[in-house]
Amino acid sequence: MPRRALAPVLLLLGSLALTAACSTGSSPADSAPSPDGRSGTGGNDTGTQVDLTRLKGVSIVSDSSTDRSCPWATSYPDVPGADKVTAAMKKDVEGRLAVFLGTDIGGPPSCGGSPGADGSEGPELNVSFSFLVASGDVLGVRLATVDRTSNADGVDTRAYWYDGAAKKYRPSSGLIADDSRDAFVSALKKRLLKREGVTSDTVEASLGDRENRDAYLDDMAFTADGDLKVDFDRGTVGVPPAGRISVTLPKSTVTPWLSDFGSRAQQQTTDPDDKLDLGAAHTPAPTVAAQPDPGEDTTDCSQAKCIALTFDDGPAAPETGTLLKYLAQYKARATFFVVGQNVATHPDIVRAEMKSGHEIANHSWNHPVLTNLTPAQIRSQLERTTAAIKDATGQEPTLFRPPYGAIDDRVKAATSLSPVLWDVDTLDWKSHDPAKVAQTVISQAEPNDVVLVHDIHPTSVAAVPEILRTLTARGYHFVTVSHLRATL
């Protein structure tokens, strides 16, 4: 698309979205596994189940591409004191990405090497997270992966547990005492055999081997009532057409089988403490402070040289806080396209962005390719993020940026938010070099351009002072996307 044709097209897309908007909503759980039966997948749209105010000093380890031909996005939390569980998640996420890109076997990236399993979707890898428990000396995190190059449905979920008392990473099977494993598995088998699509052969193939069965028991967590819910990926305990299958064992049944850690995890789920204390050696980072609001922006972008810096995929700690300081030094305004799961974890940073005079916009809940989702899933992705933004700031966003720029009529019809793409892509996810990122913007930017940067990368944030300094000297004004549109 020609550069100068972009702004009118964006305005047109926004008006089309407004006229075609769907007012019906979907439950935040429309894509989470359902209780004791068949589970939906929802394009990796997982939900937060704990009070995140208990989390202090947490940072989100995120990375993604902007390459629509090879879209991938990964994220997982790094919680102070839980280094071993962070290392386990890091190893698994990096391994999945290497397999998806083909770099695990050497040679150039192949991006999965093939289209989606049904032939209608291109390759995509998305790894997102949700907190299961964050209380007392217990931390539980679920990673949900969608890999559209998989031969199954491409959805994999796994729970990671940390025992703060023992300072150990625990797999899901660690919730059950060693001498109770056989009784626990026997009860699971009986319930599974009542499910459609499950046979004794499919169950024995996964759970019959004592040495290997823990690999299939990798996603277990407690409900708010203390029941134990066990989720199985498609094709593991049943035939593939049966989809994902879950079994819930009542509290009264499962409690006698729990390990010491499992008992504490159950208690911290049903009756959580006021805070999470994993014995972290370092003090959590302080809350990000808002910078002085530069006040009303009177810039007329039809007369002055304007540029809209946009920052995707945050908020991130401490990177976004550093970025706010750089922007304040030049009284520059920016637009932050935030990811919902990060907003829920860092609402204080989003509030600081708004109070510093910047615009907050929607970038989906966990960065999937929206055009690969159903209308209900698209609405859930955007509505949950809008709700998280409103909870943090008191205001709802009016703009959204579809991850990878992937947008079609179904996406536009699913929301009243106005879409925003970009003119200049710094490709900062490829080049973690501040000088190169800065030079890309300085050499390519023209008046009224929208520039794409990511505030999840320290190297990208480090490039911002040079961008601000050089373009300010050239007479540019840094404005929000909404101000740019309103004054052109």
Side-chain angles (χ1 to χ4, degrees):
M1 180 182 298
R3 171 193 296 272
R4 295 271 60 87
L6 182 57
V9 169
L10 292 181
L11 293 172
L12 175 60
L13 289 176
S15 63
L16 288 174
L18 287 169
T19 56
C22 221
S23 61
T24 57
S26 59
S27 166
D30 63 3
S31 50
S34 58
D36 208 12
R38 189 165 179 169
S39 298
T41 64
N44 201 10
D45 194 0
T46 57
T48 300
Q49 302 178 21
V50 302
D51 180 3
L52 297 181
T53 61
R54 293 187 177 90
L55 291 168
K56 304 297 181 183
V58 64
S59 61
I60 308 303
V61 183
S62 299
D63 204 359
S64 65
S65 78
T66 56
D67 184 356
R68 190 169 178 180
S69 67
C70 185
W72 57 267
T74 62
S75 60
Y76 58 92
D78 181 354
V79 179
D83 295 346
K84 292 180 180 179
V85 76
T86 302
M89 291 187 287
K90 180 178 187 291
K91 179 180 178 181
D92 287 352
V93 169
E94 291 181 348
R96 289 180 183 277
L97 181 58
V99 171
F100 175 75
L101 296 176
T103 56
D104 61 320
I105 57 175
S110 61
C111 196
S114 63
D118 63 1
S120 63
E121 298 170 342
E124 178 190 0
L125 178 72
N126 184 287
V127 183
S128 66
F129 68 91
S130 60
F131 290 101
L132 300 170
V133 183
S135 177
D137 58 8
V138 175
L139 176 70
V141 179
R142 174 179 284 125
L143 295 188
T145 300
V146 169
D147 183 349
R148 297 189 185 278
T149 65
S150 169
N151 291 325
D153 64 351
V155 179
D156 174 273
T157 59
R158 187 172 302 177
Y160 298 77
W161 293 89
Y162 186 72
D163 182 346
K167 299 189 182 303
K168 288 185 177 181
Y169 158 62
R170 307 281 191 188
S172 287
S173 57
L175 298 172
I176 306 299
D178 291 342
D179 58 2
S180 298
R181 295 279 177 85
D182 289 343
F184 170 70
V185 171
S186 177
L188 279 180
K189 288 180 179 179
K190 290 180 180 179
R191 284 181 172 262
L192 285 168
L193 289 173
K194 298 177 181 179
R195 303 284 183 267
E196 183 179 355
V198 177
T199 68
S200 58
D201 289 340
T202 60
V203 171
E204 286 302 315
S206 55
L207 301 181
D209 185 348
R210 289 188 179 183
E211 294 185 3
N212 298 313
R213 66 191 181 191
D214 284 358
Y216 297 94
L217 299 172
D218 61 356
D219 188 4
M220 302 197 299
F222 295 100
T223 69
D225 295 326
D227 303 335
L228 184 64
K229 187 166 177 288
V230 186
D231 279 291
F232 296 95
D233 296 328
R234 181 182 182 187
T236 54
V237 294
V239 295
R244 292 175 55 84
I245 293 172
S246 65
V247 169
T248 301
L249 296 176
K251 180 179 180 180
S252 59
T253 299
V254 76
T255 297
W257 297 332
L258 298 178
S259 63
D260 172 70
F261 172 68
S263 295
R264 284 186 282 120
Q266 182 188 55
Q267 179 182 357
Q268 293 297 347
T269 304
T270 59
D271 186 22
D273 290 349
D274 291 336
K275 64 179 180 178
L276 174 70
D277 185 4
L278 302 179
H282 62 281
T283 302
T287 301
V288 172
Q291 301 300 310
D293 188 331
E296 182 183 359
D297 190 353
T298 59
T299 307
D300 183 352
C301 294
S302 67
Q303 303 297 319
K305 290 199 300 184
C306 292
I307 193 165
L309 291 180
T310 64
F311 296 93
D312 283 14
D313 294 1
E319 289 79 14
T320 305
T322 302
L323 174 59
L324 292 178
K325 294 178 182 178
Y326 292 154
L327 294 170
Q329 290 173 6
Y330 287 84
K331 296 185 178 181
R333 294 170 175 82
T335 301
F336 289 88
F337 288 91
V338 295
V339 173
Q341 62 182 3
N342 294 356
V343 176
T345 308
H346 292 302
D348 56 316
I349 301 180
V350 181
R351 281 193 293 273
E353 291 171 346
M354 184 194 68
K355 291 180 179 179
S356 300
H358 305 295
E359 181 172 29
I360 314 300
N362 191 318
H363 196 39
S364 79
W365 183 261
N366 60 283
H367 209 280
V369 178
L370 296 180
T371 53
N372 284 341
L373 305 185
T374 67
Q377 292 165 357
I378 296 168
R379 287 194 297 271
S380 177
Q381 282 281 331
L382 298 176
E383 289 175 0
R384 291 176 64 194
T385 304
T386 288
I389 293 171
K390 185 175 181 179
D391 285 346
T393 67
Q395 299 179 10
E396 292 188 357
T398 59
L399 308 177
F400 84 103
R401 171 168 284 161
Y404 316 102
I407 190 168
D408 60 14
D409 290 341
R410 291 184 311 110
V411 174
K412 287 180 279 186
T415 182
S416 61
L417 298 173
S418 182
V420 179
L421 301 182
W422 55 85
D423 297 293
V424 177
D425 185 350
T426 58
L427 297 177
D428 54 346
W429 60 276
K430 282 186 176 181
S431 174
H432 295 287
D433 180 345
K436 187 171 183 179
V437 172
Q439 186 55 37
T440 297
V441 178
I442 292 168
S443 63
Q444 296 184 20
E446 296 181 5
N448 302 326
D449 272 353
V450 176
V451 178
L452 170 59
V453 196
H454 293 83
D455 56 329
I456 59 173
H457 302 309
T459 46
S460 299
V461 172
V464 171
E466 179 63 20
I467 294 171
L468 295 172
R469 180 168 48 250
T470 303
L471 294 185
T472 296
R474 294 181 183 177
Y476 278 93
H477 298 259
F478 295 93
V479 301
T480 66
V481 170
S482 288
H483 185 86
L484 178 65
R485 287 181 168 186
T487 60
L488 280 181

